[in-house]
Each structure stands twice: as structure tokens, then as C-alpha cells.
């Protein structure tokens, strides 16, 4: 019977094969620098992603409130809580209003934003005014009158993006 010779066990690497210690250190430094740049870039992208989703959520809810006021022929009011970064939606005119409990994305009668990593959503610089008599609350309200017409336009800042609502039409723009 013939024996098959296994050449794998007879293989001996040469003394010049592989990396030197200096080459490994340089390779590790280059990989570390590339990783740091990529990590920093991904944090910026996540921040933009979070802002984009929050702006889409707010503008979608504004469109829904506008349609709801037209459909119900009632006043729909979005009340922004800037300290806690959420908003609630009410139906009815001023003192006779009640909270809409079946509004999309409502949790505990308020619309909050999902958390994506360390980035969060900051609502600020609301310039809407309503016909509500309390001036402190009036600056934080976007009110759609029956027929889907805003009481008066204004703007809202979501992180670094500004959503502006036109006076007569309620059309929003983002810049």
C-alpha cells in the first residue's frame, strides 16, 4: 500500500514572512485614526437622522391637525411644552377644549419623540399665537380654526431646523 505524503507538515515559513513589529504599530495607528474619523462622522449623521425624523413627525402631525379641523369642522389646537419637548392636541374652542386621546403617537396624552442613541429632540422658539386669553399659553399654541385655516402662522424650531407655517393656508416649510 502506498503512503500519501502530507507536504503541509513539512512546510516551514521563511524568516522574512509576516509583519515586523513596527509595521504592526503603524497599521494599528492608521486603523485607530480611521475609526475615530468614522465614529465622529456617524454621530453627526445620527444627529441629522434624529432631526429629520422629528421634523417629519411634527409636520405630519400638523397636516393631520389641519385635516382634522376641516373634517370635524372644529378648532384643533396643538399645545407645545418646550421645557419637556412634547406636545398635546386638543379639540374644541379655547375654554371648551378637550384632549384628543386617540391621536397618532400619543402616549399619556402627549406626543413624544423616539430616542435614537444619545441624540434627543429639542423643541424651541415657538412663535405661534392663538385666540386663547392666557398670553403665556398663547405663545405655545398652533391653532387650526374650522375649515383647516390656522388662526395665525408662525414657526417652531426642532433642533436646528425651523418649521414655518403660512398664515392663510397653513402650508409648512422647513429651512
Amino acid at each position: 500500500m502506498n503512503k500519501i505524503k502530507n507536504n503541509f507538515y513539512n512546510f516551514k515559513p521563511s524568516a522574512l514572512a509576516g509583519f515586523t513589529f513596527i509595521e504592526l504599530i503603524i497599521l494599528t495607528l492608521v486603523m485607530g485614526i480611521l475609526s475615530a474619523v468614522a465614529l465622529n462622522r456617524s454621530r453627526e449623521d445620527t444627529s441629522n437622522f434624529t432631526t429629520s425624523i422629528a421634523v417629519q413627525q411634527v409636520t405630519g402631525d400638523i397636516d393631520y391637525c389641519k385635516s382634522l379641523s376641516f373634517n370635524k369642522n372644529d378648532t384643533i389646537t396643538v399645545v407645545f411644552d418646550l421645557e419637556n419637548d412634547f406636545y398635546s392636541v386638543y379639540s374644541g374652542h379655547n375654554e371648551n377644549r378637550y384632549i384628543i386621546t386617540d391621536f397618532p403617537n400619543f402616549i399619556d396624552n402627549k406626543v413624544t419623540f423616539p430616542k435614537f442613541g444619545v441624540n434627543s429632540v429639542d423643541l424651541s422658539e415657538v412663535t405661534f399665537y392663538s385666540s386663547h386669553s392666557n398670553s403665556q399659553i398663547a405663545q405655545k399654541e398652533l391653532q387650526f380654526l374650522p375649515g383647516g385655516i390656522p388662526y395665525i402662522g408662525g414657526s417652531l424650531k426642532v433642533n436646528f431646523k425651523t418649521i414655518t407655517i403660512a398664515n392663510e393656508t397653513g402650508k409648512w416649510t422647513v429651512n
Side-chain angles (χ1 to χ4, degrees):
M1 192 164 185
N2 293 338
K3 284 189 167 183
I4 299 174
K5 188 174 181 183
N6 191 345
N7 289 332
F8 182 73
Y9 291 109
N10 295 334
F11 176 75
K12 293 182 182 175
S14 71
L16 301 176
F19 294 103
T20 65
F21 184 66
I22 299 293
E23 289 172 332
L24 288 174
I25 289 176
I26 291 172
L27 181 65
T28 305
L29 287 174
V30 168
M31 292 300 289
I33 291 169
L34 291 175
S35 297
V37 169
L39 183 61
N40 190 29
R41 182 73 178 153
S42 69
R43 283 188 184 146
E44 290 173 11
D45 291 345
T46 304
S47 175
N48 290 339
F49 178 71
T50 302
T51 301
S52 176
I53 287 181
V55 166
Q56 287 177 7
Q57 180 175 334
V58 171
T59 55
D61 288 347
I62 287 171
D63 285 341
Y64 184 70
C65 289
K66 182 178 171 184
S67 298
L68 197 59
S69 70
F70 184 80
N71 186 29
K72 292 175 92 177
N73 197 30
D74 196 2
T75 301
I76 303 294
T77 306
V78 183
V79 179
F80 295 94
D81 184 339
L82 303 181
E83 291 179 15
N84 300 308
D85 298 319
F86 71 85
Y87 53 94
S88 300
V89 181
Y90 296 86
S91 182
H93 189 70
N94 296 334
E95 284 76 23
N96 297 325
R97 67 172 98 167
Y98 58 92
I99 195 157
I100 301 175
T101 56
D102 60 346
F103 195 81
N105 299 323
F106 253 34
I107 300 172
D108 297 329
N109 295 330
K110 58 186 175 185
V111 177
T112 57
F113 300 95
K115 303 287 185 216
F116 298 104
V118 296
N119 298 318
S120 62
V121 176
D122 180 38
L123 300 177
S124 60
E125 300 180 26
V126 174
T127 61
F128 302 118
Y129 294 93
S130 73
S131 59
H132 196 274
S133 60
N134 186 342
S135 63
Q136 290 179 344
I137 294 175
Q139 294 181 5
K140 300 177 185 177
E141 295 183 352
L142 172 59
Q143 197 171 62
F144 288 99
L145 301 175
I149 301 166
Y151 178 74
I152 192 165
S155 63
L156 162 70
K157 194 166 188 176
V158 179
N159 289 355
F160 54 87
K161 298 271 186 176
T162 302
I163 302 170
T164 305
I165 310 293
N167 280 339
E168 290 84 19
T169 62
K171 181 179 177 183
W172 52 264
T173 55
V174 178
N175 32 337

